[in-house]
Every structure is written in C-alpha cells, then in structure tokens.
Amino acid sequence: MDRRTFLKSGAAGGLLGLAGCLGSDDAGQQDTTEETAETATTEETTTEGTETTAEETDEETTEADEGLSGTLTVATYGSFVDAPSSAPGPWLKETFEERHPDVTVEWATPDNEMNYYIQRAQQGVDIDADLYVGINVDHLIRIDEQLGDGGLFASSVDALEHYDHVEDDLKFDPQQRAVPYDTGYISLVYDGTEVEDPETFDALTTDEYAGDLIVQNAQSAATGRAFLLWTIHNRGEENYLDYWEQLVDNDVRILGSWDDAYTAWDEGEAPMVVSYSTDQVYANREGADLDEHQVSFLDGQGYANPEGMARFADAPNPELAEAFMDFVLSAEAQGEIAMRNVQFPATDWAELSEEFEEYAKVPDDPVTFTYEELQGNVDEWVDTWARQIAGK
Amino acid sequence: MTRDGALALGEAVGERLERRALAVLGVATALVLAVLFYYPVLTVFADALRTGGEWTLGVVRAVFTDPFYFGVLAPLFEGDLAGVGEVAESTPLGLFGFTAYQAALSTVASVLLGLPGAYVLSRYEFPGRRTIRSLTIVPFVLPSIMVAIGFYAFFGTNGLFNDLLAVLGIGRVTVLGTLEAIVVAHAFYNAPLVARVTTAAWESVDARTVETARSLGANPYRAFVDVLAPQLLPAVLTGALLTFVFTFMSFPIVLALGGFELATVEVWIYALVQQLDYAEAATLAVVETAISLGLTYAYLRYEARQAGGRAANPPARKRLLPDDFSPFAALERAGVVAYALVVAVVFLGPLLSMVTESLTGPQGFTLRYYEFLVERQATGADFQTKPGVAVRNSLLFGAATLLVALPMGVTISVLTTRGRRGSKLADAAAMAPLAVSGVVVGLGMLRGLVFGVELWGHRIQVAGTSAIVAAHAVAAYPFVVRNVSPLLASVDRSMVESARALGATRVRALLDVELPLVASGVAAGAAFAFAISIGEFDSTVILATGSSSYTMPVAVERYIGNRTLGPATAMGTVLLAVTSLSFVVIDRLGGRWEA
C-alpha cells in the first residue's frame, strides 16, 4: 500500500467515524459541528496536500482548505445522479464527502431542470441551491434573455485552482460563469451490418439512405438541437432549410427525445441515429456487437456539446460550491465523470481507462457555434425549422 | 345530562350534519378545485393576455391569424377572403386542424375496438370474465415510453407482428413515423376506456324494456336498435368524448411513435413552455381547452336530454358455448373468437413485448435489470429512487385518491343531475380538469403552489404528500362523475321522492336508494380514479420534487438510463404487475358492493 492510499483511507476512515456521530446534527447543534471541524482541519490538510502532490499538479501543499463544513446543495438533471450504472453523481457525493467529512452533499433534481431555477428567479423565490451541474450554451442564452444579462449565476473561475486545466476551446460562456466539465460530440451511430458509413451530409439525401436516419426534435431534445445546429454550421444559414427539405423528402424520422430515437434505432426501425461519438464505450461495456455500433463523422465533423457547471449568484455556501467545482475538475473526478456519463472530459489531465481511450471516438474536425453566434439567432433558427417540418 | 338526552342530542346533531352533508361536500369540493385547479390554471392562462406587465390582445390575435395554427381559418379570422386559396395550398389544416383530425381518427378506432369488448364482457359469462373486465383499465396507467417500447418491439420492422405477416406472405409494414401508428397506440390507451364505460352501462340496462319490445313483435335487431341502443348511447358517447379530449391533447405518443412531422398542438405547447414562451403557449392552451370544454358542454346537454326513468335490471348473460347451435349463434361465437384474436394482437402483443424487453440484454435472456431493482431497493442512497418506495407511494396515493375523489365525484353528480337551468354550465366547469392539458396544470402548480404565493408578507407553499393526493383527486373525480351521472340521471325519480316522502333525508335517499342503483358506475369510476392516480405523472413529479413521494411511473422515467431502457422496462413490468393485481382487487371489492 503506498503512502497516499494509506493516508487517504486512514484519515478518511477516522473522519468518517466522526461524521457518522454528527450525522444527525441539525442547526441546534451548530457549535459542536464547528468545533469538530476545527479539530479535523489538520488531518484533512495532510490528506488534501498529499493528494495534490501525488497527482503532480503543483507543489503548493501549504494551501489548506479552511475546514469546510455545512450542506452543499447541487442542482442537476436527474440522470446525472440516478441513471442506473452510469450516473456519476453518487461517486462525486461519496468522494467529496470523504475528503470533506463535515460537508454533506445534497442533490436537487427538479423535473424542469434549468427552467425550474429560471422560473424561481422570475417569481422572486429563493434559489435554495449552491451550484448547477449540467449547463449548456442554450441555457445561458435563455437565462440572459429571460433574466437580463448575467442573471442567476456568478463567475467562480478566479477561485478555481484547476481552471487552467480546462480545454480553452470548450469554454463556452463569454462571462465565464459556466465552467465546462465534460463534452460530447454529436455524430451518427449506425449499424454497420445494415448500411455503409454515409460519410457526408450529401449522402444522407441520396436514395441509398432513404428512410435510414432517425433524428430528434430540435425543439425539445439537446441532441436534436445540436444536429440541427450542425446542419446550419455545415450548410449555412441560407441553405439549411433546403437541406432539411431534402432530408424530409428522403424520409428522415424526427422523434421526440434521444431515448425515443435510440430505442427505435435499437429495435431496428432504421439503421442510423443521431447520438454521441462515445456510443461504443457503453456498447462495449454491455457486450453488444460493435459492428452494430459504428460512429460516422459526417464530412469529418462532429458537433461539440460541452456541459458546464456554475455557482448560483446568491448561493448560500459559495465557498463550498467552489470547492466542489474544483473537485469536479480534478484529474480523478474528470476520469470518473467521463466514464460514468459516457462523455469526454473537459480538461487536459483526466485519468481515463484504456477501454475509454479505445472506444470513444473523436472527430477530425470538431465544430460548434459560440455563444455570440447563437445569441439572437438560435430561437429563430429552431422555430423556422420546426414550422417547416410541422406545417400542415 | 342523562344518557337518553345525550343520545337524542347526538341523533339531532347527526341528522343536521347529514342534512348539510351534501352542501358541505359541495363547498369542500369547490374549495379543493379552486386552490388546486382553477387558481394555478388561471395563472397560466393570464399569461395569454399579459405581456410585459400590460394587458393586451396582441398575442391572441397573432395566434388566431397564423395559418400555421389555424390553416384556412386563419385568413377568415382576419377577414381576408382572398388569402384562403393561398393558405389552402400550403397549410390547409393548420396545427389545430390536424390535431382534431388525428383525434377524430383515434376516437373512431377506439370506439370500434372498444365496443365489441363491452359486448363480450357484459353479455357473456365465461371463466375469468371478471378478471378480464378488471384488467381493461391497465393500459391506461402505462407510461408512454413503455407503450412505445412495446409497440416497436411488437409492431416494429423486426417485431413479432411483422414476422407473422411475413410468414403469412402478407409482407412487412412500417410503423415508425406514420399516422396509423399514432392511431393504433391511441386506441391501445383508449379502447379499454370505451369498453369499460360501456360495460358499466350495459350491466345496468333494463332488460324488461327489451322483453316488452320483443313481445310486441320486434325482432332482436329492432329491439336492440330501438330499445337497447338508446340506453347505451350516452355511455358510448362518454367514452368517445373522453377519448377525443385525451387524444386531442396527446403528445408523448405522437413524438415517440409518429414523429415530429405529425406534431399536435400539445407538442407545440410543450415546446413553447420549454422555451419559457408563456404568452403564446397560454393562448394555444386556452384555445385547446375551449374546444375540449365546448365538446364536453355539448355532450352534457345531450346527456341531460337522454335521462328517462328506468331501473337497473340487466339481461342474463349468455354462455360462451351455446346450448343449441343455431347458425346465428355459431356466427356470433366466431365473431367473438375473431375479436379475441384482434385483442391479443393489439393489447397483449405490445404488453408482452415490453415484459420481454425487461428480460433481454444484448446477449439474450437476463435477470440483471430485476437484480438492479432489488439492489437499488436494498442499498440505494436517499437521493436515489427505490422501487419499493415507489410501489408503496403509488398504492397509498391511489387509495387516498379513491377516498377523496369518490365523494367529490358523487357529490358533483348529485348536485348537477338534479340541477336547474345553468347546471350544465356548472357541470362543464366541474369537468374542466379533464379538458386542461397536463403541461398547463403542471406549470400552473409549479408557479402557484410549489413556489408559493405571497400573502401578507408570507409565502404560502403547497407541496408534499397531501398536495399530490389532492392533485390526483382533482384529475380523477371527473371520471367518477362521468361514470355516475348518466346512470344517476336515469334512476326513476319517483323512487327517490317516495323515500323522501317517507322521511328519509336527502343523504339517506342517496345512500339507500340511488347509489345501489348506480353501483356499477361508481365501481367503474373508482377504478378510473385509482388508475388516474397510479398513472398520473406531470403533477406528481412537480409536487414530489425534493421529497420521497415519487410513484411508479416517476420511477420508470428516472430509471431510463444512458443507452439502456433495461431497468426502466423492469420497473414498468413491476408497475404492470402491481396495477393489474390492484384492479382485480378493487373490482372484486366493488363487485361485492354491487351485488
């Protein structure tokens, strides 16, 4: 057993014991908690310090956290914490609580996801959460439209030690509120036993692929929206509607959600579906036939869809929120999130398994629209598209 | 006070309470409706007329004159007759026209598929009849994702149905992306509803009227058309109305099985709400609701005219194997067998396919999805969804909903069937929870009750278990009303009046005279109330936020994982098993009361 593991398990064990005794603490016993927190600080500093050294990040072992304590409420989408076998949430909570024994992580997973918090802010109701995990660029645009510029979230990047490790081209918020923690590349997944790789956007409109593609509704599904934006990126703002008319003429199927589409594809309704380029990671884990899970990067491209996290502007525990964000960006957490969420890490130092390295495919030419390019445009693009498709 | 005195006082108080009971129940019902339904929904509807803090008709006008929504009606609304031709070429139906069209097709399909079922269930005696009757309501509670999986697995390109067709040399059919898929899926949900409502009515017809007609020389066909059919028609139309309203507001099935090319108004409302575009969403929702309510009102007027005095006296049931083989009897049995085959294909096929999916992984048969459920129950964290808790909550909420919705429904039935002028309007208003979409109710609840309302500096919030039960009851009681009212209206009034003349209070007369006569309707309503509670999703998920009051359908949705529906289908199978069992139990208990 090496020193790091020993220290970690020893210290964590001792601290967990303490935390166990304090588990039922409520506001009335605040003082005791704080006292314990102070006693715990020394030990914890050692743990944290050793960890940092071991991971060869920087030599600043002196920078101890201030004995963080309290309840951290992390808002996110449901499948981040509760999806069977693939949710990173439980690991994040457990590991973070091990490192900060006086901290309890609570998840909030409102059904309306980000809209829930936008609506709360509109109604003047307290937010009651410290940070949100799972923001994308659409959310930011909607927030800024609905609540005025810079609403709801505040920037934390100055407080984040590990922010330098985040890949620059994934940073999607000009105001730096949202910090990327993973990314996916939208691509086609096709059954290689049924069809050849279409390779280009043009091929999708030919007879050879008539009725072969399932996509998602761009109004309601993130993948569907990403695919629509990808076609706009590829064909241009003037021509994308014509391209879609050709797709519809070629019998493309537009289903409601990614689940609907993937289920239909899985049941053999059509051989190609819009999904993520990490599809083989999961398929391999499940023991599925990889010939039936091939990834196609049309025109060598894939549409990047980074996910970010941000601290609520009036978070009850801003320091805790920032500590958690830094933890999410740590090399270990980055690897775990990538593998459990089946997405790529957003940093340059994630610890990834061989399996992931082998089966997660990266496009030669990742494309995406920036916040500025989308702002003021995306609603109209989606709306015009939707009216063309649904017009009777 | 002496013991006798106390007793007398108690009796007096009891009598007064009893006399006031209907009024008290009526007021309580109105209060629950106001707080849990009208207030939240009106908050959303107000958005249609209020943009940027000002009242305006701008959005409403824009929606009505948009051909995308109203097709050829749009230029007419604008008074632009010349524009009609142009619109007729590009978007003749508009979103509303198409939505009504698919709802009409779905309704016809549901009635055609449901009526023979009602006939078989009410006119034949065979082993397992009561169980099958109880199970007719099961499809109603299945989450749409389960139905979609079942449909793909069974009717899909590589499904069993297509394999059968191929073996028979008929050739394969495409399910995905067709209007037919939507219509069949809607029939899957709603034909059982039509069958159930009609069965309840068929079981309480007056057979003596048929006998009289026959003795006067009418052949069986004439006796059916002239005497029996008018007694059944209100129930059939109730089923048709409910089906139309539901399929008019359908959206998950449309998106999962049909595709976005076949988008309905509700699909659009959902998308607008997602984009927080309340003004346009609210306007569409108001129009949608007005159409549903208009239909309900028209139906209620019709129903009121049908009321005639009769007493329940159902004809004896036939045996499946006839005593003497006449050609007609043989033909009829052949029809029953053919119908049973259709039922097996349309209902059992998708259900069994869904169960099969839960037992199949990439490498064939597996029990690991059920192992997942067991493990999650045993070791799941607090913030994770446990199957056992979901089952317990569903059953508890279902039972509590029954207790609340039955009195609410019966009260409204009594108050409106014996009402005076305007009672049909009141009845339509009481039916409104049927006519408002789940998206709107959910949004209204979120903004009005979950976030809380500022009153005198305090924020009053309604959430948690009792709010969920109340919301379920609000959604469920219209079914009690629609099952009880037509029967109640046809109870011979003179019987009630005799009871009253003999000194019975109104409540006594209701309990002792009327309710036993409409018991089959009450039992049908009870099954629906329970089903609504078990299957309800929108308001449950909103009111259950941050608590452990999730139900089975909510658990199904939460178990949908990244690239795997295995655990979700396993939970769906649990839902199927638990609800099937509960409906059999409810019907048996209800049946004891009926007898």
Side-chain angles (χ1 to χ4, degrees), chain A residues 79 81-87 89-90 93 105 107 109-112 115-120 122-126 142 146 214 217-220 225 248 251-260 262-264 266-270 275-280 282-283 286-289 340-343 379 382-383 385-392, chain B residues 66-69 71 90-95 98 145 148-149 152-153 155-158 174-178 252 255-264 267-268 270-271 273-278 280 357 362-363 368-369 372 376 381 383-385 443 446-447 450-452 454 459 461 537-538 541-542 545 558-565 567:
Chain A
S79 63
V81 296
D82 201 21
S85 76
S86 63
K93 173 182 158 75
V105 176
W107 298 106
T109 54
D111 186 51
N112 289 4
N115 278 350
Y116 178 79
Y117 293 102
I118 299 177
Q119 287 164 332
R120 280 187 89 98
Q122 281 174 334
Q123 304 280 309
V125 189
D126 290 342
R142 195 184 304 148
Q146 297 278 337
I214 303 175
N217 179 4
Q219 279 181 322
S220 53
R225 176 168 295 218
V248 171
D251 225 6
V252 68
R253 297 297 178 202
I254 306 166
L255 299 184
S257 65
W258 182 82
D259 294 316
D260 293 338
Y262 201 85
T263 308
D266 215 22
E267 295 288 340
E269 287 301 309
S275 187
Y276 297 98
S277 69
T278 41
D279 193 59
Q280 286 196 349
Y282 196 90
E286 293 288 289
D289 180 1
R340 287 167 193 261
N341 222 17
V342 203
Q343 297 285 334
D379 279 352
V382 174
D383 202 46
W385 170 87
R387 279 174 170 249
Q388 175 177 310
I389 304 284
K392 318 280 187 296
Chain B
D66 188 342
F68 174 75
Y69 290 127
S90 55
T91 49
L93 286 176
L95 212 50
F98 174 77
I145 183 84
I149 293 168
Y152 283 140
F155 287 110
T157 315
N158 301 317
T174 311
V175 179
L176 189 63
T178 60
L255 279 177
L257 282 172
F260 187 49
E261 298 94 320
L262 303 169
T264 57
V267 169
W268 217 261
Y270 179 72
V273 167
Q274 292 287 88
Q275 291 157 29
L276 304 180
D277 191 348
Y278 298 143
E280 203 165 328
E357 287 289 299
Q363 288 128 334
R368 66 182 161 135
Y369 303 129
F372 163 82
R376 178 55 67 89
F383 59 87
Q384 289 177 319
T385 306
L443 182 64
L446 189 65
R447 294 172 68 189
V450 177
F451 292 168
E454 198 89 44
R459 194 165 273 282
Q461 286 172 304
F537 184 77
D538 296 331
V541 91
I542 283 171
T545 293
R558 290 187 185 167
Y559 286 155
I560 296 173
N562 204 338
R563 290 171 183 78
T564 172
L565 292 167

Side-chain angles (χ1 to χ4, degrees), chain B residues 372-391:
Chain B
F372 163 82
L373 291 188
V374 174
E375 194 185 298
R376 178 55 67 89
Q377 178 61 33
T379 62
D382 279 349
F383 59 87
Q384 289 177 319
T385 306
K386 296 186 182 182
V389 178
V391 171

Side-chain angles (χ1 to χ4, degrees), chain B residues 21 62 90-91 141-142 151 158 249 253 259 281 301 332 339 371 393-394 408 442 460 473 484 492 504 535 570 577 594:
Chain B
S90 55
T91 49
V141 304
L142 288 180
F151 264 64
N158 301 317
M249 298 191 296
I253 279 295
R301 309 245 347 179
E332 195 181 313
Y339 179 71
E371 279 163 21
N393 284 343
S394 276
M408 271 175 88
I460 299 174
V484 173
D492 199 338
E594 250 172 83

Side-chain angles (χ1 to χ4, degrees), chain A residues 16-311:
Chain A
L16 267 184
L18 275 175
C21 305
L22 296 165
S24 57
D25 261 5
D26 52 27
Q29 289 166 287
Q30 203 67 48
D31 299 283
T32 352
T33 319
E34 267 165 35
E35 257 173 59
T36 329
E38 268 166 45
T39 7
T41 314
T42 17
E43 261 184 292
E44 189 160 57
T45 314
T46 335
T47 325
E48 278 292 296
T50 327
E51 276 249 76
T52 326
T53 333
E55 279 156 12
E56 291 170 356
T57 49
D58 42 47
E59 295 302 308
E60 281 182 84
T61 42
T62 44
E63 195 171 1
D65 65 54
E66 293 84 62
L68 293 168
S69 67
T71 300
L72 173 71
T73 307
V74 185
T76 184
Y77 53 93
S79 63
F80 192 80
V81 296
D82 201 21
S85 76
S86 63
W91 183 88
L92 286 174
K93 173 182 158 75
E94 205 176 295
T95 316
F96 190 71
E97 285 176 352
E98 255 170 43
R99 296 190 184 173
H100 303 278
D102 295 320
V103 175
T104 306
V105 176
E106 273 181 6
W107 298 106
T109 54
D111 186 51
N112 289 4
E113 298 176 1
M114 184 63 80
N115 278 350
Y116 178 79
Y117 293 102
I118 299 177
Q119 287 164 332
R120 280 187 89 98
Q122 281 174 334
Q123 304 280 309
V125 189
D126 290 342
I127 294 297
D128 287 343
D130 295 296
L131 77 155
Y132 193 96
V133 174
I135 302 169
N136 59 38
V137 68
D138 299 343
H139 291 145
L140 288 176
I141 291 172
R142 195 184 304 148
I143 289 166
D144 293 344
E145 266 172 19
Q146 297 278 337
L147 301 171
D149 222 21
L152 206 55
F153 294 109
S155 176
S156 303
V157 297
D158 294 337
L160 300 182
E161 258 180 74
H162 301 152
Y163 186 67
D164 294 341
H165 288 279
V166 178
E167 306 273 7
D168 278 329
D169 47 2
L170 292 179
K171 294 174 180 168
F172 58 88
D173 181 3
Q175 296 179 51
Q176 295 190 318
R177 291 159 297 180
V179 177
Y181 64 85
D182 75 6
T183 187
Y185 296 105
I186 305 299
S187 60
L188 297 194
V189 170
Y190 67 97
D191 180 348
T193 65
E194 294 269 325
V195 284
E196 302 269 300
D197 186 346
E199 289 182 357
T200 63
F201 274 102
D202 281 330
L204 295 180
T205 63
T206 61
D207 288 346
E208 196 187 340
Y209 293 98
D212 281 354
L213 178 62
I214 303 175
V215 308
Q216 300 87 14
N217 179 4
Q219 279 181 322
S220 53
T223 45
R225 176 168 295 218
F227 184 69
L228 171 64
L229 293 177
W230 187 10
T231 61
I232 299 174
H233 199 282
N234 191 281
R235 296 283 135 152
E237 206 180 327
E238 284 74 39
N239 303 320
Y240 81 101
L241 288 173
D242 292 340
Y243 180 73
W244 273 92
E245 203 175 315
Q246 290 175 307
L247 278 183
V248 171
D249 286 345
N250 212 26
D251 225 6
V252 68
R253 297 297 178 202
I254 306 166
L255 299 184
S257 65
W258 182 82
D259 294 316
D260 293 338
Y262 201 85
T263 308
W265 174 79
D266 215 22
E267 295 288 340
E269 287 301 309
M272 305 190 290
V273 65
V274 168
S275 187
Y276 297 98
S277 69
T278 41
D279 193 59
Q280 286 196 349
V281 176
Y282 196 90
N284 177 61
R285 203 182 289 165
E286 293 288 289
D289 180 1
L290 291 188
D291 284 342
E292 293 170 6
H293 290 259
Q294 294 291 312
V295 171
S296 170
F297 293 115
L298 299 171
D299 295 334
Q301 301 177 338
Y303 193 88
N305 223 13
E307 283 187 297
M309 54 189 166
R311 173 173 72 76

Side-chain angles (χ1 to χ4, degrees), chain A residues 303-337:
Chain A
Y303 193 88
N305 223 13
E307 283 187 297
M309 54 189 166
R311 173 173 72 76
F312 284 107
D314 48 7
N317 303 297
E319 283 172 13
L320 272 183
E322 279 154 4
F324 187 81
M325 288 165 80
D326 233 0
F327 164 69
V328 168
L329 294 179
S330 70
E332 192 189 2
Q334 278 289 294
E336 287 289 339
I337 293 173

Side-chain angles (χ1 to χ4, degrees), chain A residues 5-23:
Chain A
T5 325
F6 174 73
L7 263 180
K8 195 178 150 195
S9 52
L15 292 170
L16 267 184
L18 275 175
C21 305
L22 296 165

